[in-house]
Amino acid sequence: MESRDVAPAVLREQLDTAFDVALSQLKELPDPLERAKLAHALAGRAQDYGNEFQVVRNEAMNETLREGQLNSTQLASQLGISKGRVSQLAKGAPPERLFLGSGRVIVALAEKMEDGNDKDGKKKAIQGPVIATEDFQTYERLRELAEELGLEISFERIPLGGNVRLNRNNLVVICGPRLSPLIEQILEGDPHLRFAKDEDGWYLTDRNTGQVYRSPMDRGENSDVAYFGRLPRPDGKGTFLYVAGIHARGSGGVVHWLNHELATVHRELKVRRFSTLISSRFDPETLEITESGRITPFYRPEGS
């Protein structure tokens, strides 16, 4: 559920009700040890949520001041705090970091099976599931961006088969549909952009225009196309950011583009759902992304 559909007073009432019900049920647990263990776990979760609420508050204050809706004195009056406290809380954190997350960001990277052969067909010493070098480089560039914004970030592996836990906050998934049937099913819900495959390989289609986007890498060029979107969680209680190139190199183009466009993207989209395609070029020797650009509109779900 996206918060744009909920009035502030209704959202506050829903949160109060949920907290009251959970606390009441906790107090009624008959086993004192279970009550203590669960209370201890929930206290930690409440602290985590409290930290995220504070991040959202501080960045919303910053945005209010930057956009000139109110000055510091007026904002202090609205929040019931001092003008000095407004300056203390609002400074520093750029509002656009909320686009990536309001707490510790987890980046899920897909494993694939290493074939055990090098480029000359000789057996390697190490075989088994690995994360593509390109995907890990994409994570490193995303980590640099997140840390510049003051966010904690780490990565985890999506095991072979693509079973990734999507029902959590502050999640970024870098995984092509080929490696995860779960992701493939969620992508099928996008009415605008679609991955598909034929005898020539994977490609992307803009279903509004009929335009087909194939990877220039398949023609030997140093360029790729990637899907980028904020997709619905299976539990219906939030979203996650999703990045996937037609080839792994294309995912890096999304992060390269975000490095230049994040503030603009956040102003336009906030944390609402969207999907778009990003084209990028890379240096054939260093494999670093050198150019990137958005090639479709920001498509939104119907009625959003």
Side-chain angles (χ1 to χ4, degrees):
M1 178 179 66
E2 296 189 51
S3 61
R4 73 183 193 285
D5 297 324
V6 183
V10 175
L11 179 58
R12 177 179 292 185
E13 182 179 350
Q14 290 175 343
L15 289 172
D16 286 342
T17 299
F19 287 138
D20 288 343
V21 170
L23 184 58
S24 175
Q25 293 176 343
L26 174 65
K27 290 178 178 178
E28 292 173 1
L29 287 177
D31 187 328
L33 177 58
E34 289 301 318
R35 195 163 64 245
K37 289 165 62 178
L38 184 55
H40 178 70
L42 290 176
R45 292 292 293 147
Q47 183 176 359
D48 290 341
Y49 279 118
N51 291 337
E52 292 198 24
F53 286 143
Q54 290 176 29
V55 169
V56 173
R57 175 202 60 192
N58 296 352
E59 294 179 346
M61 291 168 62
N62 190 322
E63 187 172 354
T64 299
L65 294 172
R66 284 174 55 173
E67 293 185 354
Q69 295 182 31
L70 301 173
N71 60 35
S72 295
T73 301
Q74 293 167 327
L75 182 57
S77 176
Q78 289 284 328
L79 296 177
I81 59 179
S82 69
K83 181 179 177 181
R85 184 62 172 155
V86 167
S87 298
Q88 180 184 28
L89 294 175
K91 71 178 183 180
E96 58 265 24
R97 80 174 186 169
L98 270 179
F99 185 83
L100 295 180
S102 57
R104 187 164 178 265
V105 177
I106 300 295
V107 181
L109 303 173
E111 290 184 332
K112 65 175 186 176
M113 183 58 70
E114 175 64 62
D115 63 13
N117 296 321
D118 62 20
K119 63 182 180 180
D120 297 320
K122 297 179 180 178
K123 288 289 183 182
K124 294 180 180 178
I126 300 175
Q127 301 179 34
V130 298
I131 294 174
T133 300
E134 297 91 339
D135 284 344
F136 196 77
Q137 288 176 338
T138 296
Y139 163 72
E140 285 294 317
R141 298 297 172 266
L142 185 58
R143 179 184 60 78
E144 292 169 1
L145 174 60
E147 291 180 350
E148 285 178 8
L149 297 169
L151 288 168
E152 293 185 50
I153 185 170
S154 61
F155 80 93
E156 67 180 28
R157 293 170 176 263
I158 301 173
L160 296 178
N163 187 19
V164 55
R165 186 163 64 90
L166 299 174
N167 296 330
R168 45 185 166 156
N169 297 328
N170 306 314
L171 177 67
V172 181
V173 176
I174 301 176
C175 172
R178 176 177 67 87
L179 298 176
S180 173
L182 174 59
I183 292 295
E184 187 174 19
Q185 289 180 36
I186 291 176
L187 287 170
E188 288 175 355
D190 185 339
H192 306 289
L193 301 171
R194 181 68 56 87
F195 272 99
K197 185 182 181 182
D198 60 17
E199 63 275 7
D200 294 322
W202 286 89
Y203 61 94
L204 283 154
T205 300
D206 185 329
R207 303 179 73 190
N208 299 283
T209 65
Q211 177 70 45
V212 171
Y213 296 91
R214 294 189 180 273
S215 175
M217 288 182 67
D218 294 332
R219 303 190 300 269
E221 299 179 27
N222 305 317
S223 179
D224 196 24
V225 177
Y227 179 106
F228 180 41
R230 189 181 297 277
L231 304 180
R233 289 168 22 176
D235 64 1
K237 297 180 180 179
T239 59
F240 64 95
L241 281 174
Y242 176 72
V243 179
I246 296 178
H247 296 285
R249 181 60 56 195
S251 298
V254 173
V255 177
H256 181 274
W257 177 78
L258 272 181
N259 263 291
H260 296 86
E261 300 293 338
L262 182 59
T264 301
V265 172
H266 178 258
R267 281 195 298 271
E268 182 169 347
L269 297 173
K270 299 296 189 290
V271 293
R272 295 187 292 270
R273 285 173 53 189
F274 73 94
S275 61
T276 190
L277 300 184
I278 305 296
S279 176
S280 60
R281 295 188 61 81
F282 59 90
D283 185 298
E285 295 184 2
T286 66
L287 302 183
E288 291 289 339
I289 303 296
T290 57
E291 300 175 32
S292 59
R294 182 161 57 92
I295 56 175
T296 68
F298 288 123
Y299 288 123
R300 304 291 316 285
E302 206 64 41
S304 62

